[in-house]
Amino acid sequence: MVMLATPLRKLEHVISSEQFDRACLDDLFARADALAGHRDTRLAGRIMATLFYEPSTRTRLSFESAMLRLGGAVVGTEAAREFSSAIKGETLEDTIRMVSAYADVIVLRHDQAGAAARAAAVASVPVVNAGDGPGEHPTQALLDLYTIGSERGTAEGVHIAFCGDLRFGRTVHSLAQLLTLYPGVRMSFVAPEVVQIGADVLARMTAAGIPFRLTDRLDEVIDSVDVVYQTRVQKERFTDLADFEVARRAIRIDAEVMRALPEQAIVMHPLPRVDEIATEVDADPRAAYFRQARNGVVIRMALLDLLLG
Ligand code: NCD
């Protein structure tokens, strides 16, 4: 885990939200602004490999679209557990050593926390963590933070309510960390006990001086929230399905919740959604999740430009 304290400008890998400082985020977001709707050939001749051991729609396709929009090329495998040599018993480390020879950057999604750091330790090209099990998902957090900025002007001073599966939801772990860089941020962690936020995240919030509260009721905090960040209950990570059922039924955003939500607040979700946000919410202008997902392309363009440009 040598790279975790590395500031992004000197960075070879994107493994954790902890690598980013405020200057780096400002630089990245300015690049993203400049790249909106843009296509050029600045990464012509460069190759990005996408190696996905877990399902993905948005993350993989937006990375691929970002690379193609900058003139680069893409190779890769989805369902890498079945369709790569992993099924023959090859270790992640050996696979990464080989893919390093075929591509200039590797975008990796894996089912185990820490997999991206393991990959980075043996890769000879930059590794980007596109989700490592219940660990982190730093590029999603970047587009989430960019979305808060574009929807509300700034992330400074926001009260964000993280809802749903805060235990296994890696996007929450990464976004909470990035938000510690913004003065005045307050957090509510709204989830039943079985999927409440981990002590490790809370320790980092405490160390950063972030005021937070834990509850299992959104109605206790909704009056003062600026951002509701709803998440899918991560069914694939439960060993006890009874816990999954408790979590699944806990918090749902519907028209009634939207009536209680302040006029200027927004609802975000990393997607995919199952039923934790009713489709009746989609038409509400405060439903920001599809705009949020679209921001994935410019953020990943900016990141690839920074890593390879
Ligand atoms: C999330 C993920 O994979 O962690 N999706 C995404 O990348 N946009 C959230 C989820 O799967 O629920």
Side-chain angles (χ1 to χ4, degrees):
M1 321 252 177
V2 277
M3 72 296 302
L4 287 187
T6 316
L8 191 65
R9 252 175 302 275
K10 291 186 219 120
L11 162 98
E12 297 177 11
H13 308 289
V14 178
I15 306 301
S16 165
S17 280
E18 290 186 79
Q19 289 169 270
F20 294 85
D21 60 21
R22 186 66 190 269
C24 175
L25 292 173
D26 291 346
D27 176 29
L28 188 77
F29 295 160
R31 281 170 195 256
D33 285 342
L35 285 166
H38 193 83
R39 285 168 203 249
D40 64 37
T41 55
R42 71 184 75 181
L43 297 185
R46 315 303 291 277
I47 299 171
M48 177 184 79
T50 49
L51 198 52
F52 276 58
Y53 292 79
E54 279 193 337
S56 169
T57 305
R58 276 150 290 270
T59 304
R60 188 170 62 84
L61 294 182
S62 64
F63 258 114
E64 294 187 356
S65 177
M67 189 63 175
L68 295 172
R69 283 165 196 243
L70 295 177
V74 176
V75 296
T77 179
E78 53 176 331
R81 180 98 23 231
E82 297 82 42
F83 295 147
S84 77
S85 288
I87 199 149
K88 302 179 185 172
E90 186 171 53
T91 63
L92 175 66
E93 281 78 0
D94 282 358
T95 303
I96 294 294
R97 284 187 184 98
M98 293 321 309
V99 179
S100 290
Y102 310 145
D104 301 297
V105 58
I106 299 171
V107 179
L108 173 72
R109 170 167 289 188
H110 201 275
D111 52 312
Q112 288 168 20
R118 276 171 54 204
V122 297
S124 51
V125 298
V127 171
V128 178
N129 182 4
D132 60 337
E136 281 218 46
H137 193 346
T139 72
Q140 177 71 40
L142 292 171
L143 78 91
D144 292 344
L145 184 58
Y146 182 74
T147 301
I148 295 171
S150 67
E151 296 278 330
R152 300 195 40 91
T154 175
E156 289 184 8
V158 300
H159 174 198
I160 183 167
F162 289 107
C163 305
D165 187 347
L166 313 184
R167 178 179 173 202
F168 297 123
R170 55 196 174 195
T171 70
V172 172
H173 308 159
S174 291
L175 179 56
Q177 177 62 35
L178 288 186
L179 284 169
T180 63
L181 301 172
Y182 291 78
V185 166
R186 285 185 295 144
M187 301 183 187
S188 293
F189 296 100
V190 185
E193 190 67 42
V194 286
V195 284
Q196 191 45 283
I197 194 78
D200 53 337
V201 176
L202 291 183
R204 280 190 273 118
M205 298 307 112
T206 303
I210 300 289
F212 61 80
R213 121 176 221 186
L214 273 63
T215 173
D216 60 357
R217 299 194 46 163
L218 183 55
D219 60 358
E220 283 181 4
V221 298
I222 199 159
D223 287 356
S224 65
V225 298
D226 302 301
V227 178
V228 171
Y229 190 95
Q230 174 70 312
T231 58
R232 176 179 70 88
V233 178
Q234 308 281 296
K235 185 176 185 184
E236 63 275 29
R237 311 214 192 280
F238 283 79
T239 44
D240 184 344
L241 276 184
D243 284 352
F244 166 69
E245 284 303 326
V246 171
R248 191 175 69 87
R249 274 192 280 270
I251 291 135
R252 185 160 190 266
I253 313 291
D254 58 13
E256 197 187 324
V257 173
M258 294 307 280
R259 275 193 289 279
L261 187 74
E263 205 51 51
Q264 302 307 316
I266 54 169
V267 179
M268 297 175 63
H269 189 307
L271 303 179
R273 141 194 60 194
V274 186
D275 56 5
E276 62 280 358
I277 299 180
T279 53
E280 67 198 17
V281 175
D282 296 358
D284 190 303
R286 296 169 294 175
Y289 31 92
F290 295 122
R291 298 191 292 274
Q292 175 187 355
R294 279 196 284 275
N295 287 334
V297 175
V298 279
I299 283 296
R300 288 168 174 136
M301 288 171 84
L303 202 59
L304 290 169
D305 186 29
L306 210 81
L307 288 169
L308 298 175

